[in-house]
């Protein structure tokens, strides 16, 4: 028998047990092993039924994703599922842990399904830019109807066993050892005279408005094609005989396999897991972490405190005045209320977090015993240095001292203490209890175990943590500043902010740059422009039309007016008519004759600026690997996941084309469009960013 599928027998039941750690992915060896197991079971005298069960922590987590993009190898998964279903034996799947994608498809090929109460099932293929490719789009609608199937297939969501039972996906839910539970269920079925029950032979489900469902899935996916294509595959289950439906599913699956979106999504899947895997941290133990001090209870401090409380840490929050401290407590309570309403915590947990978990204070001495402090006071070097001086005086030896600064020099902050090795940047994103990204900013003298503690904190908070070096804005905000500037230049040259926002949401961004600026607060950019003014190069083009709005106290969403006007409480605004006049006035002053931009041109310039700056960030070692940049933009800046990140997108476009674009833009503005040396090098060597990722993985 194969190494991955063992064959044993209990009375008249054959047991096919899959052992392919860590999650029993359906590699070629597992598929072949299942085929062999079926041959043997059917030839084994007296065997009447067969049980499929998984070893370890999952039934089966789906197809082996590492095989995607390579030539498919027989036996195909569809054949395995069909073979299970058409076997003369009664087939039962006993499902524990996860049964995802092809794993659920194997179970749907079986005639009966039993699951553990904490098991989860799902068809997450859309998260990989695909649709189920081994029969689920044909079998599931026959089993549970079209609506419920579309819900699962187009969202990719996981369903817990009790819900799966209610939906009709599994037949029985019972706790115990998966093999024992499975065997007793088979016994029950055999003793009760149960017969084979092939799902493909069940009645076809009823039709729905397919075009409506297709358009809805396309809109919800913000341009991602797989969920919409899944609708067409499910449509085939209603309109075609089973075998033809399977062929339709296969055709769509194979077409999607060839798309850039599939490549982007799979890059995201593996990068999300690789991002926290740093060679420098191998064997480095993080410091103990139970209590966290937070300085400043404004937007960020309160959000970070909320995230820490939700992850089970004790929090001591310091503010300047008692009123501010109480306001911070209210802010945190409001955030936790949200978690309570969404069922993430119970009433008892909510009360315990606010009474036992959180202490607010105006006295820095309250920080004497905390394991880590995260500073989130005003973005001002003087204020930060003052705070770090106080922390140096009161915190215990070995406490990690972190700053949440967005742009400031972490080396300089560290130098204001007597223990720079304990100082690190932990850059959260707003709202800090919701946004997944955490930039871990490693300063010159930061100790390795302090870096490891930063990553341990990120993991505990459920964040995607990215290592960054020190520079103005680190990875994300530095790149943002550049592509924002490219957008501003296009506005000066004639594109409207609203056309730019639309071109970028059409590309798949959650929001365009001007809507984002309104959300973040226009005062931030205004302050940055003022801060940078003294060192500005004379050739740098800096549009200032929006500063007029700031001077009048309009800072975007929080004041109700910015690029857009927001009705009271509204999160979406309508274009602000004053903006056009402000732009026209600046164009006149600078002697610019506005010209038209196509959406495609807007996108290319915006992305060229993003990729070029990202390549500089990489070349300077601020980001270690291209995938670090990709994950930063994906989890902190609303970059569409199906493109995998800006550098994956760049690879897919072809780096020589991008470099050509940058050089052509440089003819008009050589200061802004200076090609990144790394980009020029990669083009000259005929390599791309993915080659650098692979090189780093081997190191
Ligand atoms: N194929 C290959 N490797 C897989 C895998 C898969 N389907 N699923 C997980 N892995 C690997 C991960 O890359 C990781 O490897 P690493 O340790 O080298 O980084 C390891 O297994 C453990 O995974 P996680 O770190 O993600 O462990 P978790 O416990 O957090 O999560 C999981 C487990 C829920 C199974 C999660 O890994 C997951 O969601 N996997 C993807 C499931 C999926 O998308 N299945 C559908 C595949 S497509 C398909 O089936 C097509 C079919 O319709 C034809
Ligand atoms: P905020 O203005 O909302 O809050 C700052 C808080 O710090 C105020 O409540 C203030 O009373 C308090 N404070 C100031 N000096 C203090 C001191 N010496 N001791 C104790 N408390 C003090 O500011 P916000 O937005 O929360 O930003 C805080 C930091 O986080 C800044 O460095 C900012 O750059 C950074 N940041 C902000 C993000 C955002 O989107 N707002 C995102 C990521 C980082």
């Amino acid at each position: 028998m194969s190494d991955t599928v063992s064959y044993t027998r209990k009375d008249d039941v054959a047991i096919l047990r899959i052992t392919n750690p860590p999650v029993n992915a359906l590699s070629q060896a597992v598929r072949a092993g299942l085929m062999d197991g079926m041959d043997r079971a059917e030839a084994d005298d007296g065997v009447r039924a067969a049980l499929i069960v998984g070893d370890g922590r999952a039934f089966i987590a789906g197809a082996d994703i590492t095989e995607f993009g390579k030539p498919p190898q027989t036996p195909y998964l569809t054949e395995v599922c069909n073979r299970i279903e058409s076997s003369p034996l009664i087939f039962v799947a006993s499902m524990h842990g996860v049964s995802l994608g092809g794993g659920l498809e194997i179970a749907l090929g079986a005639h009966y399904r039993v699951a553990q109460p904490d098991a989860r099932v799902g068809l997450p293929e859309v998260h990989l830019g695909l649709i189920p490719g081994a029969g689920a789009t044909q079998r599931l609608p026959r089993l549970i109807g079209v609506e419920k199937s579309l819900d699962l297939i187009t969202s990719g969501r996981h369903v817990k066993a009790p819900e799966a039972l209610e939906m009709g996906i599994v037949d029985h839910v019972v706790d115990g050892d998966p093999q024992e539970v499975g065997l007793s269920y088979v016994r029950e079925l055999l003793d009760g005279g149960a017969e084979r029950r092939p799902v493909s032979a069940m009645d076809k489900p009823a039709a729905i408005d397919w075009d409506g469902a297709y358009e809805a899935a396309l809109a919800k996916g913000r341009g991602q094609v797989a969920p919409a294509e899944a609708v067409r595959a499910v449509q085939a289950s209603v309109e075609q005989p089973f075998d033809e439906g399977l062929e339709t599913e296969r055709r769509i699956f194979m077409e999607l396999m060839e798309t850039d979106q599939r490549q982007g999504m799979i890059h995201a899947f593996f990068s999300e897991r690789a991002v926290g895997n740093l060679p420098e941290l191998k064997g480095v133990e993080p410091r103990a972490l139970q209590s966290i001090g937070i300085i400043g209870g404004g937007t960020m401090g309160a959000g970070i405190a909320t995230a820490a409380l939700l992850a089970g840490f004790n929090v001591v929050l310091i503010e300047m005045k008692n009123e501010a401290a109480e306001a911070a407590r209210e802010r945190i309570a409001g955030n936790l209320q949200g978690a309570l309403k969404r069922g993430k915590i119970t009433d008892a947990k909510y009360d315990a977090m606010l009474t036992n978990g959180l202490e607010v204070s105006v006295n820095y001495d309250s920080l004497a015993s905390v394991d880590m402090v995260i500073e989130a006071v005003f973005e001002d070097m003087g204020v930060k240095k003052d705070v770090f001086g106080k922390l140096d005086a009161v915190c215990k030896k070995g406490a990690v001292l972190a700053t949440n600064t967005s742009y400031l020099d972490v080396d300089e902050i560290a130098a204001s203490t007597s223990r720079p090795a304990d100082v690190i940047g932990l850059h959260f994103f707003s709202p800090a209890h919701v946004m997944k990204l955490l930039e871990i900013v490693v300063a010159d003298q930061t100790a390795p175990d302090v870096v490891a503690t930063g990553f341990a904190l990120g993991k505990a908070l459920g964040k995607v943590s990215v290592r960054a070096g020190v520079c103005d804005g680190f990875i994300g905000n530095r790149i943002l500043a550049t592509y924002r500037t490219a957008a501003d230049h296009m506005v000066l040259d004639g594109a409207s902010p609203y056309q730019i926002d639309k071109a970028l949401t059409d590309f798949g961004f959650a929001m365009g740059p001007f809507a984002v600026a309104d959300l973040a607060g226009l005062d931030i950019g205004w302050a940055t422009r003022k801060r940078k003014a003294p060192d500005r190069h004379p050739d740098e083009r800096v549009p200032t039309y929006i500063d007029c709005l700031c001077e009048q106290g309009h800072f975007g969403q929080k004041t109700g007016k910015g690029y857009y006007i927001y009705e009271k409480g509204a999160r979406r605004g309508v274009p602000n008519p004053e903006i056009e006049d402000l732009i026209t006035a600046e164009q006149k002053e600078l002697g610019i004759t506005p010209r038209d931009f196509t959406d495609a041109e807007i996108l290319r310039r915006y992305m060229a600026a993003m990729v070029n700056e990202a390549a500089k960030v990489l070349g300077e070692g601020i980001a270690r690997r291209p995938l670090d940049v990709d994950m930063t933009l994906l989890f902190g800046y609303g970059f569409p996941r199906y493109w995998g990140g800006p550098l994956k997108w760049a690879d897919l476009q072809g780096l020589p084309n991008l470099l050509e674009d940058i050089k052509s833009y440089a003819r008009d503005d050589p200061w802004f469009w200076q090609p990144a040396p790394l980009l020029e090098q990669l083009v000259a060597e005929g390599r791309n960013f993915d080659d650098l990722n692979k090189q780093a993985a081997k190191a």
Side-chain angles (χ1 to χ4, degrees):
M1 257 330 271
S2 102
D3 290 343
T4 53
V5 181
S6 66
Y7 181 90
T8 49
R9 182 173 166 174
K10 173 96 193 285
D11 305 326
D12 50 359
V13 184
I15 304 162
L16 307 187
R17 190 174 176 93
I18 302 170
T19 307
N20 188 23
V23 289
N24 293 334
L26 291 158
S27 62
Q28 191 277 338
V30 173
R31 300 193 303 271
L34 284 169
M35 288 301 230
D36 290 349
M38 282 186 273
D39 287 345
R40 186 157 167 195
E42 285 166 17
D44 202 349
D45 236 12
V47 166
R48 292 168 65 206
L51 175 72
I52 306 179
V53 66
D55 212 7
R57 61 175 157 132
F59 174 63
I60 302 168
D64 185 340
I65 304 172
T66 59
E67 289 181 356
F68 290 175
K70 300 176 187 159
Q73 284 181 292
T74 55
Y76 303 134
L77 192 54
T78 317
E79 288 165 25
V80 181
C81 295
N82 290 349
R83 173 93 167 73
I84 294 171
E85 189 179 61
S86 60
S87 171
L89 305 174
I90 295 184
F91 257 86
V92 176
S94 180
M95 300 147 81
H96 76 287
V98 291
S99 306
L100 299 174
L104 181 54
E105 291 179 303
I106 291 275
L108 290 171
H111 306 119
Y112 296 91
R113 288 156 289 280
V114 54
Q116 304 279 310
D118 58 357
R120 286 181 288 140
V121 307
L123 294 164
E125 284 86 345
V126 290
H127 296 314
L128 302 172
L130 295 167
I131 62 165
T137 64
Q138 306 305 301
R139 289 195 175 91
L140 197 61
R142 285 175 162 81
L143 193 64
I144 66 171
V146 165
E147 268 94 356
K148 288 185 210 157
S149 299
L150 281 179
D151 163 28
L152 283 197
I153 297 171
T154 60
S155 73
R157 76 183 176 94
H158 294 189
V159 172
K160 291 205 180 117
E163 189 185 349
L165 180 69
E166 208 179 292
M167 289 175 113
I169 302 172
V170 300
D171 304 295
H172 194 44
V173 174
V174 58
D175 205 3
D177 172 74
Q179 185 164 318
E180 294 313 314
V181 159
L183 283 173
S184 47
Y185 186 51
V186 177
R187 188 79 272 133
E188 214 177 284
L189 289 168
L190 289 175
D191 293 351
E195 293 188 356
R196 292 171 61 259
R197 195 189 49 169
V199 175
S200 66
M202 291 179 183
D203 289 343
K204 277 187 189 173
I208 58 158
D209 166 14
W210 299 110
D211 290 349
Y214 180 90
E215 290 304 329
L218 203 56
K220 203 165 170 210
R222 285 207 212 99
Q224 200 204 336
V225 292
E229 288 304 312
V231 174
R232 294 302 181 212
V234 171
Q235 182 174 358
S237 76
V238 174
E239 295 179 353
Q240 296 175 351
F242 182 77
D243 287 344
E244 273 178 39
L246 273 188
E247 275 169 32
T248 301
E249 177 193 79
R250 188 87 203 142
R251 177 181 53 74
I252 297 174
F253 180 84
M254 293 311 286
E255 281 168 9
L256 289 171
M257 192 60 98
E258 297 306 315
T259 59
D260 287 349
Q261 292 197 358
R262 192 276 299 168
Q263 286 200 49
M265 293 292 251
I266 287 183
H267 172 74
F269 178 86
F270 285 116
S271 300
E272 200 176 335
R273 284 158 178 80
V275 75
N277 196 353
L278 295 177
E280 73 192 72
L281 294 185
K282 287 223 168 78
V284 181
E285 278 297 308
R287 296 184 186 176
L289 194 55
Q290 272 168 2
S291 52
I292 298 180
I294 291 169
I295 319 292
T299 312
M300 293 308 290
I304 298 167
T306 308
L309 287 167
L310 286 169
F313 292 103
N314 289 326
V315 172
V316 182
L317 186 141
I318 306 288
E319 256 293 347
M320 286 196 287
K321 298 202 173 107
N322 283 324
E323 306 82 75
E326 279 316 309
R329 183 196 287 283
E330 286 305 306
R331 227 168 266 136
I332 295 165
N335 291 341
L336 291 175
Q337 277 282 347
L340 185 65
K341 272 193 205 129
R342 285 192 302 278
K344 294 208 157 169
I345 48 171
T346 59
D347 283 315
K349 263 248 149 57
Y350 171 84
D351 290 339
M353 281 177 193
L354 283 177
T355 45
N356 307 330
L358 174 68
E359 177 190 341
V360 297
S361 168
V362 291
N363 186 351
Y364 276 71
D365 290 337
S366 312
L367 299 171
S369 64
V370 297
D371 301 314
M372 172 188 273
V373 179
I374 304 171
E375 164 279 310
V377 302
F378 304 132
E379 185 77 340
D380 178 290
M381 186 53 95
V383 180
K384 304 242 187 227
K385 280 184 173 172
D386 181 52
V387 167
F388 273 77
K390 288 185 189 151
L391 295 179
D392 198 14
V394 300
C395 289
K396 70 180 182 190
K397 190 168 167 279
V400 173
L401 307 182
T403 172
N404 181 47
T405 180
S406 307
Y407 289 93
L408 300 177
D409 183 343
V410 185
D411 286 317
E412 194 177 337
I413 295 174
S416 70
T417 71
S418 66
R419 34 175 140 174
D422 294 339
V423 177
I424 192 165
L426 291 178
H427 184 216
F428 289 83
F429 288 72
S430 182
H433 56 297
V434 177
M435 292 292 286
K436 292 273 276 177
L437 181 65
L438 176 63
E439 273 182 307
I440 298 190
V441 186
V442 181
D444 269 354
Q445 298 193 48
T446 310
D449 64 343
V450 170
V451 182
T453 312
F455 275 92
L457 174 76
K459 191 164 187 209
L461 301 185
K463 305 288 181 201
V464 173
S465 305
V466 178
R467 185 202 193 280
V470 175
C471 68
D472 200 277
F474 318 123
I475 300 178
N477 280 348
R478 172 167 160 186
I479 298 172
L480 164 76
T482 303
Y483 64 77
R484 251 314 301 257
T485 304
D488 278 333
H489 289 170
M490 287 190 272
V491 168
L492 273 192
D493 293 338
S496 95
Y498 313 108
Q499 186 195 358
I500 294 176
D501 273 1
K502 168 127 190 348
L504 290 157
T505 49
D506 285 350
F507 174 70
F509 271 97
M511 293 167 89
F514 298 100
V516 169
D518 270 2
L519 180 67
L522 299 179
D523 45 328
I524 296 182
W526 189 34
T528 309
R529 280 188 288 282
K530 283 193 270 191
R531 176 166 62 86
K532 291 192 168 175
D535 305 320
R536 189 162 291 144
H537 192 279
D539 290 345
E540 200 178 330
R541 293 176 80 197
V542 184
T544 53
Y545 64 93
I546 202 69
D547 294 353
C548 306
L549 218 59
C550 294
E551 278 153 20
Q552 294 162 22
H554 302 302
F555 298 141
Q557 243 186 66
K558 60 187 165 190
T559 59
K561 197 198 266 189
Y563 286 98
Y564 297 84
I565 293 177
Y566 303 85
E567 287 296 321
K568 209 172 161 40
R571 293 182 62 197
R572 283 177 75 95
V574 294
N576 176 359
E578 289 169 47
I579 295 288
E580 197 182 328
D581 295 342
L582 294 174
I583 296 169
T584 309
E586 191 167 351
Q587 285 166 338
K588 278 209 177 110
E589 199 183 313
L590 297 170
I592 295 170
T593 310
R595 68 175 179 90
D596 286 340
F597 282 78
T598 63
D599 288 1
E601 194 181 355
I602 288 172
L603 182 68
R604 273 208 92 77
R605 277 184 179 256
Y606 193 78
M607 290 303 299
M610 191 184 298
V611 171
N612 198 36
E613 191 64 26
K616 289 178 187 172
V617 161
L618 256 180
E620 291 167 26
I622 300 298
R624 287 273 167 92
R625 303 159 296 185
L627 67 87
D628 292 316
V629 172
D630 284 343
M631 295 306 99
T632 302
L633 271 291
L634 227 59
F635 288 100
Y637 297 83
F639 193 92
R641 188 179 172 93
Y642 56 76
W643 284 115
L647 297 180
K648 182 70 193 176
W649 178 88
D651 279 354
L652 290 167
Q653 306 308 302
L655 300 191
N657 299 338
L658 262 157
L659 185 59
E660 268 318 300
D661 278 355
I662 291 166
K663 286 183 174 164
S664 72
Y665 304 148
R667 278 178 222 128
D668 294 333
D669 185 350
W671 171 256
F672 182 74
W673 292 103
Q674 298 177 44
L678 177 65
L679 187 58
E680 292 191 302
Q681 186 193 332
L682 287 175
V683 171
E685 292 170 354
R687 297 200 300 158
N688 67 13
F689 291 111
D690 227 23
D691 293 327
L692 298 182
N693 282 325
K694 287 188 191 123
Q695 194 177 312
K698 276 193 208 134

